[in-house]
């Protein structure tokens, strides 16, 4: 994230290819918001996007369930995969309630997200706070070295200051950086991927890019596959201009695939109303 001292997130928007990704995402989002179904049944599209987004996020965390199974189930206790699905659903439901707090206290929101995600899966004293020195991290998808607790603390504080300060960065850039930084830090003992993707969702909603939360990037991340997700994330970890641009473009493509999913939902609702 070290580009310029004044507005480092905005500076990322000048990387090669990033402006094109931002423009492509904006056009895609505008198209789905202009769909005639959105004028009358936007709440139904939002609810369906939340369900599909949760399913996608859970798939990246190792619980790749059929959408209809997620829709049908009411008990998400028991086996590990069910708990992951339950955590993803809880986080999606929680995201919209935290927008105003996010702008003032991102760290408080992250603590709340982990508390919601953990749902009793970790010891009580480790829930809702960054991990301490020596505490393990359970995040099997991401194999990169885990930063120390001191580094986590410092970088979380830096990320929080950037978010509170605001700036002129496009929503896609900010959301991508928040997502990537949380994956890199893995600040909690568990469920970091789920928390990171929910934080990305919060930025996209709160920025005004996707105010009705109908463009689930989690769907696109899952559709592109775990291998592509990890490969793009390695670009973020590299810190190189090319790597950062590739990660932002990957996140942008994920939003576009989420738009495609919700457009299909709109079309299905329109056919049903015909």
């Amino acid at each position: 994230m070290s580009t310029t001292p004044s507005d480092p997130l905005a500076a990322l928007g000048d990387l090669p290819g990033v402006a094109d990704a931002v423009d492509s995402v904006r056009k895609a989002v505008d198209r789905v918001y202009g769909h005639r179904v959105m004028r009358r049944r936007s709440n139904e599209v939002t609810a369906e996007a939340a369900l599909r987004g949760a399913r996608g996020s859970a798939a990246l965390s190792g619980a790749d369930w059929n959408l209809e199974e997620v829709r049908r189930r009411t008990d998400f206790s028991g086996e590990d995969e069910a708990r992951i699905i339950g955590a993803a659903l809880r986080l999606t439901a929680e995201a919209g309630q935290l927008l105003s707090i996010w702008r003032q206290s991102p760290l408080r929101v992250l603590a709340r997200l982990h508390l919601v995600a953990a749902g009793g899966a970790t010891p009580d004293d480790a829930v809702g706070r960054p991990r301490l020195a020596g505490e393990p991290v359970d995040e099997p998808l991401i194999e990169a070295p885990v930063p120390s607790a001191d580094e986590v603390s410092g970088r979380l504080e830096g990320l929080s200051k950037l978010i509170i300060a605001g700036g002129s960065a496009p929503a896609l850039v900010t959301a991508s950086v928040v997502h990537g930084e949380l994956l890199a830090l893995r600040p909690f003992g568990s469920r970091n991927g789920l928390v990171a993707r929910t934080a990305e969702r919060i930025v996209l909603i709160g920025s005004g890019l996707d105010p009705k939360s109908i463009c689930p990037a989690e769907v696109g991340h899952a559709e592109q596959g775990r291998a592509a997700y990890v490969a793009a994330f390695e670009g973020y970890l590299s810190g190189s201009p090319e790597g950062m641009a590739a990660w932002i473009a990957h996140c942008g493509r994920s939003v576009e695939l989420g738009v495609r999913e919700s457009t299909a939902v709109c079309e299905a609702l329109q056919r049903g109303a015909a």
Side-chain angles (χ1 to χ4, degrees):
M1 294 195 302
S2 57
T3 49
T4 68
S6 56
D7 194 347
L9 295 181
L12 291 175
D14 296 328
L15 293 175
V18 171
D20 289 342
V22 169
D23 185 57
S24 182
V25 165
R26 167 52 71 187
K27 289 177 178 176
V29 172
D30 286 347
R31 282 194 299 271
V32 73
Y33 270 84
H35 197 287
R36 61 184 298 180
V37 165
M38 288 297 297
R39 294 196 295 269
R40 297 174 289 110
R41 305 179 70 178
S42 63
N43 288 344
E44 293 173 70
V45 181
T46 295
E48 190 64 21
L51 183 71
R52 295 177 186 225
R55 193 216 72 82
S57 189
L60 288 170
S61 287
D64 192 359
W65 286 18
N66 179 279
L67 179 63
E68 293 311 314
E69 175 65 10
V70 177
R71 196 191 306 279
R72 181 189 67 80
R73 284 282 288 265
T74 56
D75 180 8
F76 295 97
S77 61
E79 71 269 30
D80 288 345
E81 288 193 5
R83 291 180 180 275
I84 291 170
I85 296 285
L89 289 168
R90 292 192 301 272
L91 284 169
T92 301
E94 189 79 7
Q97 311 302 315
L98 299 171
L99 297 174
S100 61
I101 303 173
W102 174 260
R103 299 184 188 101
Q104 301 170 10
S105 181
L107 299 185
R108 182 177 160 198
V109 170
L110 293 176
R112 173 62 185 171
L113 291 177
H114 186 245
L115 181 66
V116 169
T122 57
D124 288 348
D125 64 353
V127 171
R129 64 157 174 78
R131 54 187 167 80
L132 304 177
E135 290 184 337
V137 175
D138 178 18
E139 194 63 46
L141 180 60
I142 306 301
E143 297 180 353
V146 179
S148 69
D150 286 343
E151 183 178 353
V152 167
S153 177
R155 286 172 62 177
L156 279 179
E157 187 63 31
L159 182 65
S160 176
K161 288 179 179 178
L162 284 175
I163 293 166
I164 293 170
S168 59
L172 173 64
V173 171
T174 303
S176 301
V177 169
V178 167
H179 184 171
E181 190 70 354
L182 292 174
L183 274 187
L185 295 178
R186 281 148 288 164
F188 303 108
S190 65
R191 306 285 197 251
N192 289 286
L194 294 175
V195 168
R197 290 184 288 276
T198 305
E200 178 186 47
R201 172 184 283 265
I202 288 173
V203 174
L204 293 172
I205 299 169
S207 67
L209 177 65
D210 181 22
K212 294 183 182 294
S213 191
I214 61 166
C215 307
E218 305 96 322
V219 167
H221 287 304
E223 185 171 333
Q224 293 184 84
R226 298 178 89 194
Y229 183 73
V230 171
F233 172 62
E234 287 172 355
Y236 180 88
L237 280 180
S238 75
S240 69
E242 298 81 8
M244 295 294 290
W247 170 248
I248 294 168
H250 179 88
C251 291
R253 178 59 178 157
S254 295
V255 175
E256 291 186 61
L257 289 170
V259 167
R260 187 177 71 179
E261 189 88 353
S262 286
T263 301
V265 171
C266 287
E267 294 294 333
L269 288 173
Q270 183 168 283
R271 288 192 301 271

